[in-house]
Amino acid sequence: SSNRTGSGPLTFILTGIPGLSMSSYWMALPLCCLYLLMLLGNCTLLWMIKTDHSLHTPMYYFLSMLAVADLGLSLSTLPTMLAIFWFESTSLHFEACIVQMYFIHSFSAIESGVLVAMAFDRFVAICYPLRYASVLVSSLIMKAGGAIFVRGICVVLPVAILIKKMTFCRSRVLSHSFCLHQDMLRLVCGDVRVNSLYGLTAVILTKGLDSLTILLSYVMIIRAILNIVSQEARAKAFSTCISHLCAVLIFYIPLIGLSIIHRFGKHLHPLAHTLLADAYLLVPPVLNPLVYSWKTKQIRRRILILLFRRGA
């Protein structure tokens, strides 16, 4: 009836992909490639934004924050994912599991906040283009970035503190290759109402409010675009939002799907839970740099210049 069994520390057993052998090097290799692609893409974005003075604008400052959040989210899952599929190590100490859970949920909340800031950037750029430079000044961007990171760090801290005090007396087998709050909570022996209530409140105050804010921003953006007379100007205004819309969909669709099946999909095959959780944590960090490199002319031009220099 305590967090420790016998004389040893409490450990959890992580799960790979249901139905696959743990010694699947053919799974470890693609995972390594995904993580390398994520590191290369996001680090390249950060390097380009830092070194190219033409990219020192509010939009790219927010994009650099998104890259940092993506890096943090991916690196939070990297140790256990590779340990399972490369070294066949599935056990994780209780404290390490809490630390991983904290960073995953913190960086997830940070990424959600950055997407809101990017939506505000697009709103000001399209609805108030003449006031863009005077509204989104460097001091406001720094304060917004600081508030986003502090919110992500602080709102998840009580989740980690509350679950650390819980007693685990059921199976220690988790459903994923990493530690998530909902997954750990189902193994608790005792009353979890406070944990569940705060966890739900934290989600509503972060991703819930963020998604509503983004939706409201795009309602006003679409109204402003429809008021533009020129078809060419409409298309140009909307094209500046496509990259951000893709980033929002890439982040929120797996998140909503994972939340739904955690609450209503208990009858589904475990593979469905695993694939959605992996998509939620792995897909956005890999695809965001590709989307912005493909849809943003300045970044695409910069990449082509770098490739041309290397070829020369």
Side-chain angles (χ1 to χ4, degrees), residues 158-295:
V159 173
I161 293 172
L162 285 170
I163 204 163
K164 193 175 190 312
K165 297 178 179 179
M166 291 291 102
T167 300
F168 295 84
C169 59
R170 299 177 188 171
S171 167
R172 306 303 201 281
V173 180
L174 296 173
S175 305
H176 305 295
S177 306
F178 34 77
C179 299
L180 295 177
H181 179 245
Q182 310 96 303
D183 202 17
M184 294 176 68
L185 209 57
R186 70 181 179 84
L187 304 181
V188 169
C189 179
D191 189 358
V192 297
R193 284 179 295 181
V194 174
N195 300 65
S196 297
L197 181 61
Y198 182 80
L200 180 62
T201 303
V203 170
I204 292 172
L205 291 177
T206 53
K207 301 179 181 85
L209 285 178
D210 291 349
S211 57
L212 288 176
T213 304
I214 292 170
L215 179 61
L216 180 61
S217 298
Y218 272 98
V219 167
M220 292 187 284
I221 286 170
I222 291 170
R223 287 180 58 186
I225 290 175
L226 292 176
N227 289 330
I228 299 174
V229 177
S230 169
Q231 290 286 345
E232 185 180 351
R234 282 186 188 181
K236 186 177 180 181
F238 184 72
S239 68
T240 64
C241 300
I242 291 178
S243 298
H244 179 254
L245 273 173
C246 289
V248 170
L249 294 175
I250 288 168
F251 179 78
Y252 277 103
I253 288 176
L255 171 63
I256 293 169
L258 184 62
S259 300
I260 289 172
I261 69 167
H262 260 299
R263 281 168 172 75
F264 307 110
K266 292 181 173 61
H267 61 284
L268 294 176
H269 192 276
L271 183 61
H273 294 256
T274 300
L275 292 179
L276 261 179
D278 291 348
Y280 164 52
L281 294 175
L282 293 178
V283 171
V286 172
L287 290 188
N288 282 338
L290 298 178
V291 167
Y292 275 93
S293 300
W294 172 50
K295 294 300 298 180

